[in-house]
Amino acid sequence: MIGMSLLVRLALLLPPNVPQIPVLCYHQIRDWRPKDRTADKAYIMPPATFRLHMKMLADSGYHAILPDELYAHLTKGTPLPSKPVMLTFDDTDGDQYSIARPEMAKYGFKGVYFIVFNNINKNKYYMSRAQIRQLSDEGHVIACHTLTHPNIRKLKGSDWAAELDVPARKLELLTGKPVRYFAYPFGIWDQQILPELSRYGYLAAFQLDEPRDSAKPLLTVRRVIDDGRWDTSTLDRYLKHGFGHK
């Protein structure tokens, strides 16, 4: 990736009270199994629930935005559509392609797919290269979720290039498009990774439900998991009241 422009460096200094745009995170989209723990069900969205949530978003007038739109809004004040929301998918699970993709297409929604590169073609449960290329061609954003999904707090030295730069380059070759956005494995971030993300030219990075970094909120954009146990009224309530100046 090329080095950051002055605009990017200045944008990373946005004040922490910049209003947040709702960003939802999804992992597995499948029916619950008897062995699934109660806590795991937050991360596992039954397909029927996913369909209801997408319909609720559409019926309520939400517009799915993509990272370039969010970045332009936060750095330049570019207007967003009414009731914006971002739909993001982690880990390269195949059901995100086979179930989420056609359901979003019903409403003209596009999403952000954070890819763990070594999960591609790993087994029948993960996406193939052809599927990822198709997502990109259809207007979804392909972004980086590292090479192997490590705990970033354990990385050092050459690990940074291996996990941040190598997979981005590989994804760029696969899709023919730049990779400018990143999601932290497990949603975990700390201060040591922020300079590394800047070094490799990422415009923004997405965590989970923690306060943003006061100095670099664009590298700690907050997401919440669309809980597989939520009904549509709970999701609606969280979208309206769960994204304050945190």
Side-chain angles (χ1 to χ4, degrees), residues 51 54 58 99-109:
R51 295 184 185 104
M54 292 300 105
I99 297 174
R101 171 182 158 271
E103 197 62 31
M104 290 191 295
K106 293 179 181 179
Y107 308 107
F109 291 164

Side-chain angles (χ1 to χ4, degrees), residues 44-153:
I44 303 168
M45 173 74 71
T49 303
F50 185 80
R51 295 184 185 104
L52 288 173
H53 285 199
M54 292 300 105
K55 186 176 187 301
M56 185 279 287
L57 292 175
D59 290 348
S60 300
Y62 282 94
H63 293 86
I65 66 168
L66 295 174
D68 281 349
E69 295 172 90
L70 178 63
Y71 182 79
H73 174 70
L74 294 177
T75 59
K76 306 175 191 176
T78 304
L80 291 173
S82 60
K83 301 184 77 170
V85 63
M86 190 181 298
L87 308 175
T88 70
F89 300 85
D90 288 6
D91 299 346
T92 327
D93 292 277
D95 45 38
Q96 298 168 0
Y97 173 89
S98 61
I99 297 174
R101 171 182 158 271
E103 197 62 31
M104 290 191 295
K106 293 179 181 179
Y107 308 107
F109 291 164
K110 301 298 182 185
V112 188
Y113 288 78
F114 289 106
I115 302 297
V116 177
F117 193 86
N118 278 5
N119 281 353
I120 301 173
N121 289 327
K122 186 174 182 180
N123 56 44
K124 66 180 181 179
Y125 299 109
Y126 291 99
M127 282 189 266
S128 68
R129 291 172 179 265
Q131 289 170 336
I132 291 169
R133 188 180 298 110
Q134 182 179 357
L135 287 169
S136 178
D137 290 345
E138 291 175 348
H140 300 278
V141 170
I142 301 302
C144 184
H145 200 34
T146 71
L147 185 72
T148 65
H149 204 274
N151 182 336
I152 59 97
R153 290 176 177 161

Side-chain angles (χ1 to χ4, degrees), residues 1 115-119 144-152 154-171 179 182 185 193 196-197 199-200 202:
M1 294 183 183
I115 302 297
V116 177
F117 193 86
N118 278 5
N119 281 353
C144 184
H145 200 34
T146 71
L147 185 72
T148 65
H149 204 274
N151 182 336
I152 59 97
K154 297 181 179 180
L155 301 184
K156 56 185 179 181
S158 61
D159 295 339
W160 294 114
E163 294 292 346
L164 302 184
D165 194 40
V166 169
R169 301 278 187 174
K170 289 177 178 288
L171 288 170
V179 172
F182 179 84
I193 194 175
E196 300 296 335
L197 289 169
R199 174 184 177 189
Y200 292 113
Y202 287 99

